[in-house]
């Protein structure tokens, strides 16, 4: 199971890669059955799920915002986030 922290996102990406939100942004793709661990603490603590967005190509992504690092993950809905 891959894991990611808010600091990982800020280290991997610049601001406004997919949307003009003044946040570091990373897109996570995968298939049904894939799992992404938001590893800052127990469960998804430190992250808040925002409303889903439709990005280029008409693909819908779930949005996860890290509260302390100005980081956002765009995750395909088929991926389980833990």
């Amino acid at each position: 199971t891959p894991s990611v922290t808010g600091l990982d996102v800020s280290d991997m990406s610049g601001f406004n890669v997919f949307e003009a939100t003044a946040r570091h942004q990373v897109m996570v793709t995968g298939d049904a059955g894939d799992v992404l661990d938001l590893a800052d603490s127990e469960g998804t603590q430190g992250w808040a799920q925002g409303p889903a967005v439709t990005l280029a190509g008409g693909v819908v992504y779930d949005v996860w915002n890290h509260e302390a690092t100005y980081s956002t993950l765009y995750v395909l809905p088929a991926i389980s986030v833990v």
Side-chain angles (χ1 to χ4, degrees):
T1 300
S3 63
V4 66
T5 67
L7 287 175
D8 292 336
V9 174
S10 63
D11 286 344
M12 288 188 277
S13 181
F15 288 103
N16 302 328
V17 176
F18 306 108
E19 290 187 291
T21 62
R23 301 178 71 85
H24 296 277
Q25 301 170 351
V26 169
M27 186 177 290
V28 180
T29 61
D31 300 308
D34 290 344
V35 177
L36 176 66
D37 181 8
L38 303 182
D40 287 283
S41 56
E42 189 67 31
T44 60
Q45 185 176 355
W47 292 86
Q49 187 171 12
V53 297
T54 302
L55 297 177
V59 179
V60 175
Y61 289 87
D62 292 334
V63 175
W64 288 87
N65 292 307
H66 191 269
E67 298 163 2
T69 62
Y70 298 102
S71 299
T72 298
L73 290 170
Y74 296 89
V75 182
L76 284 176
I79 299 171
S80 298
V81 176
V82 297

